[in-house]
Amino acid sequence: MLVLGIESSCDETAAAVVANGEEILSNVVASQIAIHARYGGVVPELASREHLRKIEPVVNEALTRARVKIRDVDGVAVTEGPGLIGSLLVGLVYGKALARALSKPLVGVNHLEGHIHAVLLENKMGRRAGKVTEEAQLPAVTLVVSGGHTTLFLVKEVRPSANSQSVSLDYKRLGQTRDDAAGEAFDKVAKLLALGYPGGPVIDQLARYGDAQAVDFGRIKMKGNPLDFSFSGVKTAVLYRVRGTSLALEAEERRAWRSTRDNVTNDELRNHCSRATLDLIASFQSAVVQDLVERTLSAGEAARVDSVFVSGGVACNSLLRARFLEASRAQGVNALFPSPGLCSDNAAMIAAAGNCKLQAGQLADANLTAHAAFPLGE
Ligand code: KG4
Ligand code: ZN
């Protein structure tokens, strides 16, 4: 079964062709980073205009790279939410029109469901390539951690009958952020310190040169649900350590220097950061990562699962991956991540989730539309 996936929920226009939910034939992502970088964040109006420009060439490129004709595709999967409404509508309407014109089945996919399927897709590809021997085990606790989300789910498999070929996933929401998403906190701290956009990858690189113990942000305390998250406190703590100090002057100098340059390498940027700035970045990253690891593993323990999945753009973070692997091993659970290309927004994950829905017969009708807020699970 060949599924064409289309994703346009934020600032990436993406299309992919996935065979049988386990083999990526193509995975095309047109990033808009260069457009939004000067604003230090995604500008919704610019994002939807850019999606409009890119959607057709990106879908065509995905079909060409997969060496597939559109008539050979067995179904079209589109992201229906959550995300920026103008962005979502571009991909959704394009996919819907394509499916309608070619009389192909259409499925709507929740973006977060896509991130969860990225872990299963990576595992299936690894097994096909002989790189991984074990199948990803469900039920699993899954952390989806990105620029828009920080949510913990308990994911279970549902088979309509014991010998049924089609498998659906059931999602229970265990906790979520009450304010900033973790990736948003990375982006805002990077903006404050004039490190560029998106902030996650650059902080990940620079933090290697700082002392993560230098600033003690303390544990992030949560009243009520202990599996909820909050990152606005640590972000504000960084702001207070910068405002009115030499670090603020240094950030302004960096901003001025950056504005004269088209491209800045991480090494050049590091040379424009004092030790105190590098220490602050490393300590901030460590505090966020520690919180994500601890809450996810404690959710895993409470749910008595053998596996935790971690997906979304922040799951590219090298410290996060190392700490998850170390702590999960100590707890006797398996931690699984997609490879970086499947962690951040892409359409292969949407096609893989769509494959599952197509097999289960969960088809969309002509009323399918986009939703900016679109919770997954109860
Ligand atoms: O999943 P994604 O591509 O888009 C959303 O659905 O939000 O995630 C983008 C987010 C951004 O906030 C970016 O700063 C963060 O993921 N990110 C990282 C890293 N790479 C991307 N955060 C920390 N460390 C990284 N290496
Ligand atoms: Zn995402």
Side-chain angles (χ1 to χ4, degrees), residues 140-142 152 174 227 290-309 322-335:
V141 160
T142 303
L152 277 170
L174 303 174
L227 299 181
Q290 197 58 28
D291 188 74
L292 292 168
V293 172
E294 283 177 9
R295 280 185 218 281
T296 305
L297 289 182
S298 90
E301 197 170 17
R304 297 173 192 231
V305 295
D306 294 330
S307 304
V308 294
F309 298 172
R323 292 247 183 107
F324 254 114
L325 287 175
E326 192 182 277
S328 59
R329 222 170 272 141
Q331 197 172 301
V333 297
N334 216 354

Side-chain angles (χ1 to χ4, degrees), residues 228-245:
D228 276 349
F229 298 90
S230 168
F231 298 107
S232 70
V234 62
K235 176 196 70 183
T236 308
V238 172
L239 174 68
Y240 286 153
R241 288 203 159 251
V242 172
R243 205 156 59 182
T245 72

Side-chain angles (χ1 to χ4, degrees), residues 30-100:
S31 165
Q32 301 180 2
I33 283 178
I35 291 168
H36 303 289
R38 79 186 72 156
Y39 305 102
V42 178
V43 183
E45 170 68 10
L46 297 182
S48 28
R49 275 197 221 171
E50 192 60 14
H51 283 305
L52 273 173
R53 276 178 9 93
K54 288 284 167 60
I55 189 72
E56 191 165 10
V58 164
V59 169
N60 287 340
E61 179 75 17
L63 292 166
T64 306
R65 284 199 203 168
R67 295 170 194 272
V68 160
K69 297 264 179 273
I70 184 68
R71 63 171 178 274
D72 301 328
V73 161
D74 297 296
V76 180
V78 292
T79 304
E80 56 179 317
L84 301 171
I85 193 70
S87 292
L88 283 163
L89 277 167
V90 176
L92 184 129
V93 170
Y94 191 88
K96 196 170 160 180
L98 208 56
R100 190 74 186 254

Side-chain angles (χ1 to χ4, degrees), residues 182-311:
E184 192 180 353
F186 272 94
D187 294 339
K188 287 178 177 168
V189 165
K191 187 173 183 179
L192 171 75
L193 293 171
L195 300 174
Y197 173 83
V202 66
I203 289 180
D204 189 351
Q205 292 301 318
L206 293 179
R208 292 164 197 220
Y209 302 96
D211 174 5
Q213 315 287 324
V215 182
D216 183 6
F217 288 107
R219 292 282 163 104
I220 300 173
K221 296 195 186 71
M222 297 304 301
K223 286 196 181 129
N225 183 0
L227 299 181
D228 276 349
F229 298 90
S230 168
F231 298 107
S232 70
V234 62
K235 176 196 70 183
T236 308
V238 172
L239 174 68
Y240 286 153
R241 288 203 159 251
V242 172
R243 205 156 59 182
T245 72
S246 61
L247 296 186
L249 290 175
E250 183 191 318
E252 281 325 306
E253 278 169 22
R254 220 169 11 249
R255 213 178 299 283
W257 163 70
R258 288 187 65 102
S259 69
T260 63
R261 304 286 301 267
D262 284 339
N263 285 308
V264 173
T265 67
N266 282 334
D267 279 343
E268 288 173 324
L269 193 54
R270 177 161 59 94
N271 291 333
H272 280 80
C273 290
S274 64
R275 171 134 299 280
T277 293
L278 294 172
D279 287 349
L280 184 61
I281 295 166
S283 304
F284 159 77
Q285 173 180 261
S286 177
V288 172
V289 163
Q290 197 58 28
D291 188 74
L292 292 168
V293 172
E294 283 177 9
R295 280 185 218 281
T296 305
L297 289 182
S298 90
E301 197 170 17
R304 297 173 192 231
V305 295
D306 294 330
S307 304
V308 294
F309 298 172
V310 189
S311 191

